[in-house]
Structures are given as C-alpha cells and as structure tokens.
Amino acid sequence: QVQLVESGGGSVQAGGSLGLSCAASGYSDSRSCMGWGWFRQAPGKEREGVAAIGSDGRATIADSVKGRFTISQDNAKNTLYLQMNSLKPEDTAMYYCAATFFCGHWLVLRPLEYRYWGQGTQVTVSS
C-alpha cells in the first residue's frame, strides 16, 4: 500500500516562504513512476489543485499561485516538493500531496484523478 507523508508546514507571516515535502513509500518496483500533485483545502472551501508534475518532469501551476509556488520531484528519493514564496493570508489551508501510478505527461489538478493521498500539513499565513 502506497503511503504519502507530508512535512514542512507551519506558520509564517505574509511575504514569507515555506517548503513542503512529501515522501512516498510502500511500493517496491523501482520502475514505478508517479503523477504527483499538491492540493489545498481551506475551511468551508472545496479542495483546490495547486500544482502537478509528471514523471517526464513537466509541471503545471494553478493561476492563483503562479509565479510564487514551484513544484519539483526527486525520483530517486520518491519525494515531491512544493516551494512556496511570497505567501499571502489567502494561502492559509491544509496542504495535501497526492499521487497515482502514471508514466509520462501529467498535468492534472482534479482530485478525483489521484489514488493516493497524504494526511495533510497545515500552512498558516498571517497578515
């Protein structure tokens, strides 16, 4: 069973930066490749796709965070990253990483397309 564990959340003032990590484990086939995504959900709001990246290294970023957030991956470590700069109070949310076995081009920001989810890490941005 694939497990995803996020880390790196916390509290920061507006304009600050945070980096999130998501480590995947539980699959033994070294040839497996993943489509990855970061999502966030604020209280009372729907889960929102933030960024996605495929095994080909191509990525997409939601318009709401474009120019401020960067998604990357380390395939050797089965780890996904989200670097968040110039944070705003409206970025406050629980952030989740998600993955699904897929090789190639993956620019998917729809939650239903992902099979595996982490438990989430809280990001709080104060003004």
Side-chain angles (χ1 to χ4, degrees):
Q1 180 69 19
V2 175
Q3 292 185 327
L4 304 178
V5 179
E6 302 99 335
S7 60
S11 298
V12 65
Q13 289 190 329
S17 298
L18 282 174
L20 304 183
S21 300
C22 173
S25 62
Y27 55 103
S28 59
D29 187 348
S30 61
R31 297 167 297 175
S32 296
C33 40
M34 291 285 197
W36 298 90
W38 284 104
F39 293 80
R40 66 185 182 184
Q41 190 166 17
K45 294 188 177 181
E46 292 187 354
R47 190 163 294 190
E48 172 192 17
V50 174
I53 189 169
S55 62
D56 61 355
R58 295 182 64 180
T60 188
I61 302 289
D63 288 342
S64 58
V65 301
K66 194 166 292 182
R68 301 188 296 119
F69 289 15
T70 303
I71 187 172
S72 62
Q73 61 186 342
D74 185 332
N75 291 325
K77 296 181 179 180
N78 294 330
T79 301
L80 178 72
Y81 303 97
L82 184 70
Q83 180 62 39
M84 305 182 293
N85 299 327
S86 302
L87 283 161
K88 303 175 180 180
E90 52 263 43
D91 295 320
T92 295
M94 186 72 79
Y95 282 71
Y96 300 90
C97 74
T100 196
F101 285 112
F102 187 87
C103 295
H105 198 57
W106 182 265
L107 302 180
V108 179
L109 294 178
R110 297 182 299 275
L112 291 178
E113 301 293 333
Y114 289 82
R115 180 174 181 181
Y116 305 105
W117 290 83
Q119 81 289 349
T121 186
Q122 178 68 36
V123 171
T124 302
V125 184
S126 58
S127 58

